[in-house]
Amino acid sequence: MAVKESLQQTGGLWFGWSGKLGDDTPGTNSEDVKLQSIGNVQLATIDLSRQDHETYYLGYANDVLWPVFHDRLDLANFNVRFASGYRRVNQLFARKLFPLLKPDDIIWVHDYHLIPLAAELRAMGCSNRIGFFLHIPMPPPLIMAAIPEHEWLMRSLFAYDLVGFQSEADVTHFTHYVESEAHADALSRNRLRAFDRKLRIGAYPIGIDVDDFAALAHGREGIEMFMQIREEYSRRNLLIGVDRLDYSKGLPQRVHAFRELLELYPENRKSATLIQIASPSREDVKAYDDLRCEMDSLCGAINGDYGELDWMPVRYIHRSVARRRLPGLYRASRVALVTPLRDGMNLVAKEFIAAQEQSDPGVLVLSRFAGAAEQLKEALLVNPYDTQGTAHAIQRALTMSIDERVNRHTALMERIRRFDVHWWSSTFLTALSRVEADDYQEPVFPDNLLL
Ligand code: GDG
């Protein structure tokens, strides 16, 4: 969404997976690029073969990089087939993208699926400016080092001119990694030298389009949703959680904390309801299936143990809500629970703030392990592993005075407005276009690629 907006402003070429699986039978050209123009944006998409989808996407991206970068080594599946699928698809993408590039194009590569893309492009002779943005967290060095190909992955990042992270904590983790594993010199806080290359790095926390989201809250469907929920829950305090059903989002821990709230503060029984939207995600990966079963069971248990004929503590919905209705739901809620165990940023936190009424805003309870916590200090910050501590914070949010709610919300609103999605893309692209020309040296790739 953020990338789409940024590209629509500047115009340009979007290149990536079509989301479709091609025909694997020999003789069919499933690797052909399909070109399409939408306004000032040209779309170039490519299908993946079933085998590449399994090894590259489900395998390396979602069963190795996603868990490890979210500190979940216990869930990682280090299968060598996955690593070679990842390398193969990045090579394929580079091969298909390279002929479409013009000499003065600036290339912006997004996320963990494409870490080695610049190295592959450089190996083909590409000398364009290339930037990379990591949407997910950078793990601490020793966690990163558990990936068998960690050195190759991190070395690949040095083929970019600029690498952007969501938070200063991520910048620190990356710097410590290359200092300890690759004897990098930190030329300054934002410039590193290693693998015979200089690299500029920085924190570019992603934001949302605040006006656009606030306008959605006041659109027809936003208002309808708001009125409907307000009427239905007129006697209740509503708490809201909106997440992909992903183990990084801390959903079971959130339900445990809500249960603890009902134990520690029984006055909330019959008066507080948690609506948890959990949109389906990566259902082909086993860990997500396990999480679904766990959530079904936890929500069933809390409703069975505490529910009354006229009150259910948790409304758990394993479906997506239409985007235009989402702000109405946020606006009708007294408290948002955004309590991931680890998150690059977390945009729901920012959307909740943007959707609130300035004169009677709700309260954000935010995990200290979300990248957003570096910016959103006026939220109630919690440790989601601490069930009791989180329950106390929820109670504090439910009973907060209007003055304190308004003060906190005003400060938060200022912050998300200043560092919105336009700030994010323009700051990154400006930094990328200013990387000094004399920083560029002939790349040492591909000889040093290890895989
Ligand atoms: C990655 C990083 C980083 C969710 N449920 C529904 C729905 N959503 C929308 C939200 C929000 C987006 O999806 C989720 O964004 P997050 O930031 O929470 O998380 P990830 O999907 O994990 O994204 C993350 C992000 O990239 C951006 O850099 O912040 O840390 O993991 O916009 O509103 N939207 C609709 N119905 C739903 O049910 N319409």
Side-chain angles (χ1 to χ4, degrees):
M1 185 78 79
V3 178
K4 185 173 138 205
E5 280 188 21
S6 155
L7 195 56
Q8 276 166 346
Q9 283 196 351
T10 56
L13 172 77
W14 187 93
F15 179 94
W17 177 36
S18 62
K20 295 188 194 129
L21 298 187
D23 189 347
D24 288 359
T25 45
T28 53
N29 283 330
S30 63
E31 291 186 355
D32 282 352
V33 175
K34 290 179 195 70
L35 290 169
Q36 195 188 343
S37 286
I38 302 180
N40 58 352
V41 176
Q42 215 193 1
L43 276 182
T45 55
I46 182 166
D47 299 347
L48 283 183
S49 71
R50 270 170 215 288
Q51 191 200 355
D52 285 345
H53 179 250
E54 189 217 323
T55 56
Y56 158 76
Y57 183 72
L58 298 177
Y60 206 73
N62 287 334
D63 230 4
V64 176
L65 297 180
W66 180 271
V68 174
F69 280 46
H70 287 87
D71 302 346
R72 291 298 303 268
L73 286 179
D74 57 318
L75 294 177
N77 180 0
F78 298 117
N79 179 328
V80 285
R81 278 178 59 242
F82 295 171
S84 49
Y86 185 71
R87 172 86 194 269
R88 184 171 62 241
V89 171
N90 272 280
Q91 279 173 337
L92 169 72
F93 282 179
R95 217 167 46 240
K96 298 292 176 180
L97 173 62
F98 190 46
L100 303 176
L101 295 173
K102 294 195 222 67
D104 57 349
D105 278 345
I106 285 189
I107 307 168
W108 193 0
V109 177
H110 287 268
D111 229 0
Y112 60 103
H113 312 81
L114 298 171
I115 291 172
L117 188 69
E120 299 296 351
L121 284 167
R122 300 284 189 224
M124 291 168 193
C126 174
S127 57
N128 296 56
R129 296 269 161 106
I130 318 182
F132 177 82
F133 185 77
L134 185 69
H135 288 256
I136 64 175
M138 172 57 56
L142 282 180
I143 302 260
M144 173 64 74
I147 300 179
E149 307 77 29
H150 65 96
E151 195 196 334
W152 168 72
L153 280 171
M154 294 298 99
R155 180 198 296 260
S156 298
L157 283 176
F158 278 76
Y160 291 95
D161 297 294
L162 172 67
V163 172
F165 298 97
Q166 297 273 26
S167 68
E168 290 296 342
D170 295 330
V171 171
T172 302
H173 283 164
F174 181 67
T175 306
H176 286 169
Y177 173 91
V178 283
E179 282 175 344
S180 60
E181 299 282 333
H183 312 292
D185 293 326
L187 303 173
S188 68
R189 167 92 182 131
N190 293 99
R191 288 179 75 211
L192 299 169
R193 188 188 5 232
F195 307 112
D196 299 324
R197 287 267 300 166
K198 284 184 204 157
L199 173 67
R200 187 171 288 270
I201 58 171
Y204 300 88
I206 195 169
I208 61 165
D209 187 328
V210 177
D211 290 329
D212 193 57
F213 205 78
L216 270 190
H218 293 97
R220 185 177 59 78
E221 287 171 75
I223 291 178
E224 261 172 28
M225 187 71 174
F226 173 73
M227 305 285 271
Q228 184 193 332
I229 296 284
R230 269 282 158 100
E231 195 184 310
E232 196 168 327
Y233 293 91
S234 55
R235 293 181 299 125
R236 318 259 186 245
N237 279 322
L238 208 57
L239 299 98
I240 184 78
V242 175
D243 308 78
R244 280 186 304 100
L245 186 59
D246 192 294
Y247 50 79
S248 65
K249 304 293 182 185
L251 298 179
Q253 289 77 359
R254 190 178 303 169
V255 177
H256 283 302
F258 186 63
R259 193 180 172 110
E260 189 70 10
L261 173 86
L262 301 178
E263 273 305 309
L264 293 174
Y265 302 100
E267 64 270 32
N268 290 303
R269 294 184 198 175
K270 287 194 126 186
S271 80
T273 298
L274 168 63
I275 297 186
Q276 177 62 56
I277 311 287
S279 48
S281 185
R282 302 177 194 167
E283 292 180 308
D284 299 335
V285 179
K286 182 175 179 301
Y288 290 72
D289 206 37
D290 295 346
L291 175 63
R292 183 179 176 176
C293 294
E294 188 180 1
M295 281 299 284
D296 286 350
S297 142
L298 283 174
C299 295
I302 190 172
N303 282 341
D305 293 345
Y306 293 88
E308 303 277 353
L309 285 175
D310 59 350
W311 170 68
M312 280 297 153
V314 176
R315 287 244 173 140
Y316 168 60
I317 296 156
H318 182 234
R319 271 191 313 281
S320 292
V321 171
R323 185 156 182 85
R324 286 188 299 278
R325 296 168 72 83
L326 214 47
L329 195 54
Y330 290 142
R331 201 175 139 214
S333 305
R334 171 57 66 221
V335 175
L337 300 183
V338 180
T339 53
L341 303 179
R342 197 77 184 95
D343 220 328
M345 175 55 58
N346 196 297
L347 295 180
V348 171
K350 297 184 174 184
E351 292 168 356
F352 176 77
I353 296 165
Q356 296 308 299
E357 278 307 313
Q358 208 180 339
S359 55
D360 185 19
V363 180
L364 175 62
V365 174
L366 177 64
S367 165
R368 57 174 297 181
F369 304 125
E374 258 186 25
Q375 289 183 302
L376 306 179
K377 297 281 186 220
E378 292 81 6
L380 295 185
L381 296 186
V382 296
N383 167 6
Y385 295 97
D386 175 3
T387 309
Q388 281 215 345
T390 306
H392 291 314
I394 299 174
Q395 176 67 1
R396 193 172 159 208
L398 286 168
T399 54
M400 190 179 281
S401 72
I402 178 118
D403 285 352
E404 187 176 352
R405 281 192 278 127
V406 168
N407 287 341
R408 285 176 184 267
H409 177 257
T410 306
L412 290 169
M413 194 67 177
E414 243 174 64
R415 197 85 32 76
I416 62 165
R417 212 176 255 298
R418 180 157 170 221
F419 300 104
D420 67 1
V421 69
H422 310 296
W423 173 91
W424 170 73
S425 57
S426 66
T427 316
F428 185 92
L429 289 172
T430 304
L432 180 56
S433 63
R434 285 194 189 151
V435 170
E436 292 87 355
D438 62 5
D439 265 357
Y440 182 73
Q441 295 162 6
E442 275 308 301
V444 289
F445 305 99
D447 300 347
N448 291 339
L449 289 176
L450 299 179
L451 266 189

